[in-house]
Amino acid sequence: MEAMRHLAEIAAAVKGRPRRRMAVAYGEDAHTLQAVQRAVQEGIVEAVITGDSARIAEVAAASGVDTRLFEVVHTGGESASVMAAVTLVREGKAHMLMKGLAHTDAYMRGILDKERGLLPEGGLLSHVAVLEAPRYPRLIVVSDVAVVPTPSLQDKVRITNMAVRVAHSLAIETPKVAFISASENVLKFASNQEAAILAGMAVRKQLGNIVGEGPVSLDCALFPESCRIKGFAGRVQGDADVLIMPDIDAGNVFYKTMSWFAGAEVAAIVTGTTAPCILTSRGDSEDSKFYSIALGALNA
């Protein structure tokens, strides 16, 4: 199978497989309901939505969504809706979780709840985004841009492993992984040196079936012309499949710049949990949420 190059290929790959059941936490907004309807109609998932049933019916009617396509579990308020959806996944009544109108902190509290959540003991959450950018000829897997503020070297090993698993699900057999830094030269600051260590681990096959390079500046990771101009002779020559960010600041700025300025389409999930957890912004488009559902189903 050839590596996927478009987000639409993720949805196509999921169709025909046994449908996964998705629990939607606090699904009271139009974009979420429209994306869920589309995913159900296209045969990607079955869905159960938690939230105020009257409000869901009101929003659905105003946005052209047929609530007969999914189950609605009536709950009162954001926190209760989140925990009801998390519980469905924890009890095996759903295979994946999705954030609706809930604030990210409320959604994450549900996932991280020590007694009722979805994070295994000693586990690490990581946000993995898949971007389709107009000027780039392949999908870009990026991590972490939303969950781990200042990852340690050990955290970055785990973040890399999770991002690579997502890349493999996209049929990228041997992902080219760039450990991003402000410079492609080894300098004195910690994240830059950690990128060099990670690249060395990749060479020794301690990070699985990947081609890894670091430190790598963003331009050398994504643009062959920059490598030629700079004389950069790394194993990644402007053809990275996976970008591992030095911290959440760099990752989040890159993610939002790609989305808002570069016109990239995005799919995103939280990994490290017992089931995929879809984490999109409340302001994300229906398309972004639909592709995120497809990515979650592909990895469920």
Side-chain angles (χ1 to χ4, degrees):
M1 181 178 179
E2 291 187 5
M4 298 182 197
R5 294 181 178 270
H6 303 282
L7 293 179
E9 294 177 58
I10 300 174
V14 176
K15 292 177 185 179
R17 295 185 179 189
R19 288 196 192 192
R20 295 303 190 181
R21 194 162 193 252
M22 178 175 68
V24 183
Y26 203 46
E28 298 183 9
D29 64 295
H31 279 167
T32 295
L33 293 177
Q34 289 165 342
V36 172
Q37 174 175 257
R38 181 176 167 189
V40 171
Q41 288 177 328
E42 294 195 20
I44 292 174
V45 294
E46 297 175 349
V48 52
I49 298 179
T50 66
D52 184 278
S53 56
R55 178 59 181 161
I56 292 170
E58 179 185 351
V59 174
S63 53
V65 172
D66 183 358
T67 56
R68 293 172 298 180
L69 291 170
F70 42 76
E71 179 184 352
V72 175
V73 174
H74 176 75
T75 51
E78 180 182 51
S79 295
S81 297
V82 169
M83 287 314 306
V86 168
T87 299
L88 287 169
V89 177
R90 185 178 176 90
E91 293 180 350
K93 297 175 182 177
H95 304 99
M96 51 195 280
L97 184 72
M98 180 179 183
K99 183 172 83 71
L101 191 59
H103 290 80
T104 297
D105 57 351
Y107 184 69
M108 296 306 294
R109 276 198 302 272
I111 293 171
L112 294 169
D113 187 286
K114 290 185 178 179
E115 295 182 359
R116 300 177 294 167
L118 304 176
L119 182 68
E121 185 175 352
L124 176 73
L125 292 182
S126 180
H127 182 273
V128 181
V130 181
L131 290 79
E132 180 180 338
R135 293 184 58 196
Y136 202 62
R138 56 181 58 81
L139 294 174
I140 310 171
V141 180
V142 188
S143 195
D144 182 297
V145 307
V147 174
V148 187
T150 53
S152 66
L153 176 62
Q154 290 75 18
D155 290 339
K156 288 176 183 176
V157 170
R158 297 167 83 177
I159 287 169
T160 300
N161 289 335
M162 286 184 269
V164 167
R165 280 198 291 272
V166 172
H168 285 158
S169 77
L170 304 174
I172 304 171
E173 186 175 343
T174 307
K176 290 193 173 184
V177 180
F179 300 101
I180 298 298
S181 184
S183 172
E184 62 277 6
N185 298 312
V186 180
L187 302 174
K188 291 185 178 180
F189 56 97
S191 65
N192 177 278
Q193 294 176 0
E194 288 171 355
I197 293 170
L198 290 163
M201 293 176 68
V203 170
R204 293 191 296 274
K205 299 300 180 183
Q206 292 175 279
L207 299 176
N209 185 32
I210 70 170
V211 173
E213 185 59 87
V216 183
S217 58
L218 189 65
D219 55 335
C220 285
L222 298 178
F223 297 101
E225 180 65 16
S226 183
C227 296
R228 288 192 291 270
I229 291 170
K230 292 184 173 183
F232 179 65
R235 290 173 292 275
V236 175
Q237 288 280 308
D239 55 356
D241 300 298
V242 179
L243 307 180
I244 301 300
M245 292 296 176
D247 57 33
I248 199 171
D249 288 329
N252 197 265
V253 169
F254 172 78
Y255 174 85
K256 289 178 178 174
T257 300
M258 292 295 290
S259 300
W260 287 92
F261 283 92
E265 291 282 359
V266 180
I269 58 174
V270 171
T271 58
T273 45
T274 55
C277 299
I278 298 165
L279 177 59
T280 55
S281 169
R282 285 171 292 162
D284 280 348
S285 68
E286 177 197 334
D287 279 347
S288 177
K289 293 185 178 186
F290 171 75
Y291 291 133
S292 296
I293 292 170
L295 182 65
L298 186 67
N299 285 273

